Amino acid sequence: MTTFQELGLSQEVMKAIERMGFEETTPIQAKTIPLSLQNKDVIGQAQTGTGKTAAFGIPIVEKVDVKNGAIQALVVAPTRELAIQVSEELYKIGAVKRVRVLPIYGGQDIERQIRALKKHPHVIVGTPGRIIDHIQRGTLRLDHVHTVVLDEADEMLNMGFIEDIEAILSHVPTERQTLLFSATMPDPIRRIAERFMNEPELVKVKAKEMTVPNIQQYYLEVHEKKKFDILTRLLDIQAPELAIVFGRTKRRVDELAEALNLRGYAAEGIHGDLSQAKRLSVLRKFKEGTIEILVATDVAARGLDISGVTHVYNFDIPQDPESYVHRIGRTGRAGKTGMAMTFVTPREIGQLHHIERTTKRKMERMKPPTLDEALEGQQRVAIERLLNVVETENLSFYKRAAEELLEEHDSVTIVAACLKMLTREPDTTPVKLTEEPPLAVKREKKRGGRPDSSTRSRTKKRRMTAH
Ligand code: ADP
Ligand code: MG
């Protein structure tokens, strides 16, 4: 393990990192920061949650000359949420040194951005479209940029931003350092690297380094029809502070969020079909704790840094080991412990083993909880709330009434009634979820079956009712 001290960082940056609570570097940081400080081009390949932002953010802040009013570093990120998130992290790293960081993204009033650009930011974090817009208006001058970062490059590729990126790079001086971060390295990304980077060093952190040991990983064998009841029981027992439930499809996410609300949980869904504004507002509510459960597809949750997540529920087993690592990486961050529960239908056991082999970690089997256990779990929550009031509140006003009550009834009955009132008894309101076919596993087709009647067939849209 490498400490930040060993990297020879300035006092100002060390102080900022300390305030952020980072104790030691993550693997990608340990490898990238020294290279980047030597002005080498770096391709960083690592999964979400491995600390890539600080890996490029720390060298950027080190290299910025705050007395120079020109834009010196440019970070390109695929979405508005990511741009905001990255700029917040850069702001923190540069807070002591007083580095000015400005996010620019589509959807925000352009006049306001133009005014902000006139205040001499040192670092710009932007989405491709809006960066180009400003370049064309002449409101963004990049001729003093010495560092360019392409963050989540594969995501930008997926979103069709490759040409925009090329256009942006052609506006930055060739005498520059280029850093590229990506979870995967498809060919078009390699080509960008070849064309626009100068003998880049590849820093690769394997997925298994990421399944951090402080995540407890469990799986539960559950039949499709039982999944929802099991989920709500787990929620009742584990009483997560902040949880993410992953579903396989957008429809799944919508239905799950609705079903959770029906049973009295504060849940909202997030997926690619929602408008940026909606996604942002859901995320904000989640971060503030107004909603306790975020239901998400893989795509929607990718790259987003949501801290404080205590529990991840894979309602549907992920398609591939990489997504699994991505998903559970949402929890147990920054030294906190986390728990990940993966639901596996009998036909998906093979997929579970595939994930275990790739991550080289065994998931522990958890027995699906019973309704009684769920009730006990909620009772425990009620008892905690009650004891908390006993310890922290002034009860003198209530004591007379309590004494009178106890003259007529026995104390156990009274306390039991209080607990019953406080306990949110497991709700079994019937909900409707469209059945999700199990993941495609290589299995022989039945003879005489229609050629397309594979397990992935979406024709079986039966409605199921969970009780
Ligand atoms: P990535 O870009 O690789 O998905 P982020 O840069 O968003 O990851 O970092 C994920 C989380 O880990 C953030 O909350 C970040 O503040 C935190 N983090 C980053 N580096 C460290 C570190 N060295 N120690 C502790 N937490 C860290
Ligand atoms: Mg990132």
Side-chain angles (χ1 to χ4, degrees), residues 47-53 56 82 85-86 151-152 181 303-305:
Q47 304 298 325
T48 307
T50 48
K52 294 191 284 295
T53 318
F56 62 76
L82 277 167
Q85 216 164 274
V86 168
D151 195 17
E152 306 258 350
F181 293 89
L304 295 177
D305 166 35

Side-chain angles (χ1 to χ4, degrees), residues 211-261:
T211 42
V212 264
N214 57 4
I215 298 178
Q216 295 167 278
Q217 302 177 52
Y218 299 95
Y219 75 94
L220 296 92
E221 267 186 72
V222 193
H223 281 278
E224 175 70 23
K225 286 186 169 53
K226 291 274 182 213
K227 278 184 175 179
F228 192 73
D229 283 334
I230 302 295
L231 173 67
T232 55
R233 285 177 202 166
L234 283 173
L235 290 170
D236 288 344
I237 293 170
Q238 300 177 337
E241 255 168 70
L242 281 183
I244 304 187
V245 176
F246 282 99
R248 196 171 294 146
T249 61
K250 295 171 198 163
R251 181 192 62 208
R252 188 72 148 181
V253 163
D254 285 337
E255 290 183 355
L256 274 172
E258 199 181 323
L260 283 167
N261 277 296

Side-chain angles (χ1 to χ4, degrees), residues 292-311:
E292 49 186 352
I293 303 167
L294 185 69
V295 189
T297 55
D298 287 301
V299 175
R302 239 192 104 174
L304 295 177
D305 166 35
I306 306 158
S307 52
V309 174
T310 50
H311 295 69

Side-chain angles (χ1 to χ4, degrees), residues 10 124 142 276:
S10 66
I124 299 290
L142 300 175
Q276 287 269 25

Side-chain angles (χ1 to χ4, degrees), residues 145-417:
V145 166
H146 55 58
T147 311
V148 174
V149 178
L150 304 176
D151 195 17
E152 306 258 350
D154 51 353
E155 201 59 18
M156 294 204 275
L157 170 75
N158 292 340
M159 295 173 75
F161 287 142
I162 279 292
E163 281 165 23
D164 288 352
I165 290 170
E166 293 178 353
I168 293 167
L169 289 175
S170 65
H171 278 90
V172 186
T174 45
E175 283 291 299
R176 62 153 193 267
Q177 179 184 24
T178 311
L179 306 169
L180 183 152
F181 293 89
S182 203
T184 57
M185 276 297 150
D187 280 342
I189 300 293
R190 273 178 222 283
R191 280 199 292 277
I192 287 268
E194 276 160 26
R195 260 187 69 196
F196 292 97
M197 296 177 80
N198 180 20
E199 295 176 20
E201 297 250 4
L202 178 65
V203 171
K204 204 164 162 178
V205 173
K206 280 187 247 77
K208 73 168 197 280
E209 284 185 55
M210 212 209 106
T211 42
V212 264
N214 57 4
I215 298 178
Q216 295 167 278
Q217 302 177 52
Y218 299 95
Y219 75 94
L220 296 92
E221 267 186 72
V222 193
H223 281 278
E224 175 70 23
K225 286 186 169 53
K226 291 274 182 213
K227 278 184 175 179
F228 192 73
D229 283 334
I230 302 295
L231 173 67
T232 55
R233 285 177 202 166
L234 283 173
L235 290 170
D236 288 344
I237 293 170
Q238 300 177 337
E241 255 168 70
L242 281 183
I244 304 187
V245 176
F246 282 99
R248 196 171 294 146
T249 61
K250 295 171 198 163
R251 181 192 62 208
R252 188 72 148 181
V253 163
D254 285 337
E255 290 183 355
L256 274 172
E258 199 181 323
L260 283 167
N261 277 296
L262 258 179
R263 289 208 181 162
Y265 304 91
E268 278 205 59
I270 174 169
H271 56 64
D273 277 2
L274 299 179
S275 69
Q276 287 269 25
K278 176 70 188 168
R279 286 169 59 182
L280 210 60
S281 94
V282 171
L283 278 177
R284 191 177 323 114
K285 281 194 267 180
F286 187 60
K287 285 185 179 176
E288 287 166 356
T290 325
I291 51 178
E292 49 186 352
I293 303 167
L294 185 69
V295 189
T297 55
D298 287 301
V299 175
R302 239 192 104 174
L304 295 177
D305 166 35
I306 306 158
S307 52
V309 174
T310 50
H311 295 69
V312 167
Y313 300 91
N314 292 317
F315 194 78
D316 299 313
I317 194 165
Q319 311 270 9
D320 49 62
E322 287 210 346
S323 322
Y324 177 78
V325 173
H326 269 302
R327 287 184 182 186
I328 70 164
R330 318 277 69 196
T331 178
R333 292 175 152 205
K336 291 199 197 86
T337 54
M339 263 179 125
M341 272 63 54
T342 301
F343 288 0
V344 189
T345 64
R347 283 151 91 182
E348 292 168 334
I349 291 288
Q351 175 71 2
L352 175 79
H353 296 318
H354 177 46
I355 293 173
E356 288 183 330
R357 277 195 303 275
T358 315
T359 59
K360 298 197 167 59
R361 284 279 301 268
K362 276 243 176 287
M363 293 179 222
E364 202 175 314
R365 183 182 173 148
M366 183 186 273
K367 269 197 11 221
T370 62
L371 197 58
D372 280 346
E373 287 166 335
L375 179 57
E376 263 170 45
Q378 283 301 298
Q379 225 180 55
R380 235 184 14 249
V381 172
I383 292 171
E384 268 165 36
R385 283 172 57 197
L386 191 67
L387 289 178
N388 188 35
V389 173
V390 169
E391 277 159 23
T392 59
E393 304 266 332
N394 178 359
L395 300 170
S396 49
F397 186 75
Y398 292 86
K399 284 194 173 157
R400 267 265 310 273
E403 276 158 15
E404 280 172 23
L405 265 175
L406 284 171
E407 279 167 21
E408 313 251 324
H409 303 273
D410 80 284
S411 53
V412 174
T413 309
I414 294 288
V415 176

